[in-house]
Amino acid sequence: MILFKKVDDLRRYLSDERENGKKIGFVPTMGALHTGHISLVELSNKKADLTVCSIFVNPTQFNESTDLKNYPRTPEPDIEKLVDSGCHILFMPPVEEVYPQNYKAAQTFDFGDLDKPMEGVERPGHFQGMAQVVYRLLQIVEPNSLYMGQKDYQQFAIVQEMLKQMGSDIELVIGPTVREIDGVAMSSRNMRLNKNQRSIAPNIYRTLMAVKDKMDQFLPKELEKMAIEMLSNQGMELEYFEIVDGTTLTPIASFDESEKVVACTAVRVGEIRLIDNFILKS
Ligand code: AMP
């Protein structure tokens, strides 16, 4: 695996590879890598000739400076995992490479209602910051395909819309959520759960499964109510549980009205905020 820290060096290298006919797959991350991230690298390895993974803790998508400061940074084990996964290129730039002093976001995006509900409520500006860095990284890497996890479904939907607005022909591939054996979605935040909190966390996936099992008998709104009760009774503070259209992220009144339907939730277990979702219909 080759490590690049400078934009120009990476661009030069990739431009040669592109001229040699290589197809480039790109996996953007913020590091603290686990099996979920690595599954995206593996997806890219299968489809593309060269996989570029980036590790960049993007300051513009954090609402609170303490969150940015406390975000886990584990470069050595990350590099080891990427080497083992067969990743070809790691791009690990300092902030000033991604946002040089004279850098002006070339394009701003209006995501309509996509970035307002769910994660957008508690984290205003988060998705604009995320879109800004993905846009910038796409300009640098110019990949043929881009790999993102279903775990962050709203992020995926927003990037899908951004690519559409850009008129981009980059293929966006969604990777299924990788879970622990008890159903908890893998996340760097799981490490911060104490024993009791960790024993409560599988109820999120259990609730999503209960909703899936009952979707033939109940309306989306009834299932949301049931899920909210289930989660609140299990020692979690509920932020949202919404059953939405998979493209527009707007709430639905019946399962028939959308081709793709996703149940999305965010809860707090103690101080730790966990998100998860399940595609009910696609
Ligand atoms: P992050 O480093 O948290 O920004 O995540 C980088 C990418 O990994 C995003 O596309 C996430 O959706 C994806 N990801 C994070 N956790 C998982 C997981 N458990 N399963 C699959 N993909 C994941």
Side-chain angles (χ1 to χ4, degrees):
M1 185 174 74
I2 315 174
L3 167 64
F4 289 93
K5 294 195 169 183
K6 292 210 171 291
V7 170
D8 288 347
D9 294 345
L10 176 67
R11 285 181 68 93
R12 209 170 304 123
Y13 181 88
L14 290 178
S15 139
D16 288 348
E17 293 292 346
R18 221 174 277 116
E19 267 174 35
N20 293 334
K22 296 273 169 70
K23 297 276 181 245
I24 298 165
F26 180 41
V27 181
T29 81
M30 299 211 296
L33 301 183
H34 51 64
T35 314
H37 300 110
I38 297 302
S39 71
L40 298 176
V41 171
E42 287 167 351
L43 265 182
S44 169
N45 286 347
K46 274 198 202 123
K47 254 187 174 296
D49 303 309
L50 271 185
T51 297
V52 179
C53 176
S54 64
I55 294 181
F56 179 64
V57 182
N58 174 37
T60 70
Q61 71 189 68
F62 284 82
N63 304 83
E64 286 165 32
S65 57
T66 48
D67 270 0
L68 172 63
K69 209 174 120 236
N70 294 334
Y71 197 85
R73 288 161 172 90
T74 55
E76 283 91 12
D78 286 355
I79 289 173
E80 255 176 53
K81 285 175 195 161
L82 287 172
V83 169
D84 289 349
S85 73
C87 180
H88 304 93
I89 294 159
L90 168 59
F91 182 44
M92 207 159 50
V95 174
E96 60 275 16
E97 278 291 308
V98 178
Y99 302 122
Q101 268 196 340
N102 55 358
Y103 178 71
K104 266 205 156 148
Q107 205 169 337
T108 52
F109 297 94
D110 179 358
F111 295 119
D113 286 335
L114 281 181
D115 59 349
K116 315 272 179 317
M118 302 196 287
E119 291 302 292
V121 173
E122 278 288 304
R123 308 174 75 187
H126 162 72
F127 285 122
Q128 286 296 337
M130 180 281 295
Q132 180 186 23
V133 79
V134 173
Y135 180 79
R136 172 76 174 130
L137 291 170
L138 291 179
Q139 277 186 322
I140 296 168
V141 179
E142 294 182 56
N144 302 89
S145 50
L146 169 66
Y147 299 81
M148 307 203 79
Q150 186 198 318
K151 160 86 190 329
D152 300 279
Y153 190 85
Q154 193 170 7
Q155 169 171 285
F156 161 79
I158 288 170
V159 170
Q160 182 171 258
E161 173 63 21
M162 182 180 82
L163 292 175
K164 194 172 138 198
Q165 288 183 23
M166 285 162 64
S168 168
D169 57 6
I170 296 170
E171 183 189 358
L172 177 60
V173 180
I174 187 166
T177 302
V178 178
R179 299 178 181 280
E180 303 287 355
I181 201 99
D182 58 5
V184 174
M186 285 195 184
S187 162
S188 59
R189 290 169 186 229
N190 297 349
M191 291 188 271
R192 291 163 54 204
L193 297 167
N194 66 30
K195 223 171 156 208
N196 181 45
Q197 292 167 336
R198 182 62 187 76
S199 71
I200 293 170
N203 288 316
I204 303 170
Y205 188 59
R206 273 183 215 135
T207 304
L208 288 166
M209 289 302 94
V211 166
K212 174 187 148 262
D213 291 344
K214 291 184 166 49
M215 62 183 278
D216 291 340
Q217 305 148 46
F218 295 95
L219 292 170
K221 280 284 162 259
E222 294 169 329
L223 290 173
E224 282 179 3
K225 201 163 162 255
M226 178 198 83
I228 289 167
E229 265 171 36
M230 277 180 78
L231 289 166
S232 308
N233 289 338
Q234 286 156 347
M236 297 184 215
E237 202 185 307
L238 191 101
E239 237 171 58
Y240 63 81
F241 189 103
E242 292 190 25
I243 297 177
V244 297
D245 178 279
T247 307
T248 62
L249 304 183
T250 48
I252 53 164
S254 95
F255 284 107
D256 297 335
E257 77 187 47
S258 289
E259 271 173 30
K260 188 170 187 184
V261 178
V262 191
C264 302
T265 186
V267 301
R268 274 180 199 274
V269 188
E271 292 284 282
I272 318 297
R273 188 168 184 281
L274 299 176
I275 61 168
D276 205 345
N277 66 78
F278 194 82
I279 299 177
L280 296 171
K281 190 177 160 193
S282 63

